[in-house]
Amino acid sequence: METVTEINPKRHRLPVLPLRDMVLFPGVTAPIGAGRPGTLRAIEASLKNEDRLIFAVTQRETSDAVQSDNLYMHGTIARIGQLQRGLGGMQLLLHGEHRATVLQYHQGDGFIEAVVHEAADQQPPDANDPAFLALYKEVRERASELGQKSGLPDDVIQQVVESVTDAGRFADLVAGYLEIPSKERMLLLETPEVEVRLRRVLVHVQRQIQLVN
């Protein structure tokens, strides 16, 4: 019996990968270390399916014993990329695919599963509104400035900035690299409105620019 089943195009039943003190955003690829038995079983269940999808969700409080009531109700449907097994567990690359809201957690065969529904970005009423375009332009410019002040090479910054043109995806990309607490990251993940998310990301970027000055 397959563990991962697609209920409808937007709803999935997936193994849960609990994250400690980190938040994975759609469009962001991040290295993850896994060693807890339940997490390893969830990863193995995901690998049995061709799409290798798993639900990456942050723990409310850091704990070795993972319970569903200690997991947030929003997370990211992720695809497992490169994976390396070792004596201490696994090292893997996770690529965030979609925001998702949990409809139900339940105990699977030695790991937690979740029924989740993809959460679409809420675009502004008018994507060509001058105020929205100005906000998006400001976020892109300030993100480039932060990258430069952080010592990233100009060609790397340019490549990253030019690789994403969608405003919501760009906000997620920047959010994924901000040095802010997990609770602040979760607030950004839980914000489906693109314009609101851009404004919140801009505030964090401006604060970090001041810190590195």
Side-chain angles (χ1 to χ4, degrees), residues 107-193:
Q107 189 64 39
D109 185 15
F111 57 92
I112 299 172
E113 291 181 304
V115 176
V116 302
H117 191 273
E118 292 180 24
D121 276 351
Q122 295 180 16
Q123 302 293 341
D126 180 7
N128 295 315
D129 176 60
F132 175 74
L133 293 176
L135 169 64
Y136 182 29
K137 183 172 182 285
E138 177 77 2
V139 174
R140 293 178 71 89
E141 289 176 351
R142 296 289 78 76
S144 296
E145 181 183 352
L146 178 59
Q148 290 169 343
K149 289 183 179 297
S150 301
L152 293 176
D154 288 344
D155 58 336
V156 172
I157 296 171
Q158 185 176 359
Q159 182 181 355
V160 171
V161 170
E162 291 181 354
S163 67
V164 180
T165 56
D166 178 79
R169 282 281 174 163
F170 189 79
D172 286 338
L173 180 65
V174 177
Y177 293 100
L178 288 172
E179 296 179 10
I180 56 177
S182 289
K183 288 184 178 180
E184 295 288 341
R185 288 173 179 264
M186 276 305 305
L187 181 60
L188 295 173
L189 186 68
E190 294 170 346
T191 304
E193 304 90 353

Side-chain angles (χ1 to χ4, degrees), residues 122 124-125 129 131-132 135 192-200:
Q122 295 180 16
D129 176 60
F132 175 74
L135 169 64
E193 304 90 353
V194 172
E195 187 168 358
V196 177
R197 196 156 78 236
L198 279 171
R199 293 188 186 282
R200 290 175 174 170

